[in-house]
Amino acid sequence: MLYVCGNCSNYTYDGDNRKGYCAYYRSYYYPTESACSSFDEGTENVWRSGTDCFLTTACCEWKGLPDDCAELTDLRNFRDEFLLKTAEGRVLVEEYYRIAPGIVVRLKASPERDRWMQYIYNEIQSVRTLIHTGRSEEAVEAYRQMVLTLHTAL
């Protein structure tokens, strides 16, 4: 495998022809075909928690909530116990993993970050209510709509 810029866990790129972010060099730029001496095959980077709840994690960090807060715990359990148990759910999770890191990069750089973070937090609370009342399909759709809104707006 060729270890080139943009192909490692340090680099977050959303595929929208925009600059990505390199966590190692702490810089935004387009990936290149050049070899990178800081290539990391691992799956961890600054924007990605080990549990992959990118937007919820970013929002909860913004709110000052711990990694084991009710919001993150509920959504991680929902992902693991509902979404990942179906083929359609696995496709949604895979698509989320593809686009969410780029959304988080743009979100954190946005001058309207606080407004967007509050929007995410409010949506998460709505999704949690849907989950707790057994309306799983509606919860999936509400979260999907939130991600789509963020992806197109940021």
Side-chain angles (χ1 to χ4, degrees), residues 57-121:
T57 298
C59 175
C60 290
E61 287 173 357
W62 173 79
K63 291 285 280 181
L65 300 172
D67 191 59
D68 63 350
C69 66
E71 290 82 354
L72 283 164
T73 300
D74 286 350
L75 290 177
R76 288 172 180 153
N77 287 339
F78 184 70
R79 177 201 58 208
D80 296 344
E81 299 302 319
F82 182 78
L83 286 172
L84 293 179
K85 293 194 177 209
T86 68
E88 182 181 345
R90 287 188 297 274
V91 168
L92 282 173
V93 170
E94 184 177 311
E95 178 68 5
Y96 176 75
Y97 288 176
R98 187 184 71 76
I99 67 172
I103 294 171
V104 172
V105 169
R106 294 189 309 272
L107 177 65
K108 287 186 175 186
S110 172
E112 297 183 53
R113 182 190 64 169
D114 290 342
R115 180 177 72 85
W116 285 115
M117 288 294 192
Q118 188 61 54
Y119 163 76
I120 294 168
Y121 188 75

Side-chain angles (χ1 to χ4, degrees), residues 35-51:
C36 178
S37 62
S38 301
F39 185 86
D40 179 9
E41 286 185 273
T43 58
E44 297 292 324
N45 70 34
V46 168
W47 308 107
R48 183 174 184 168
S49 74
T51 52

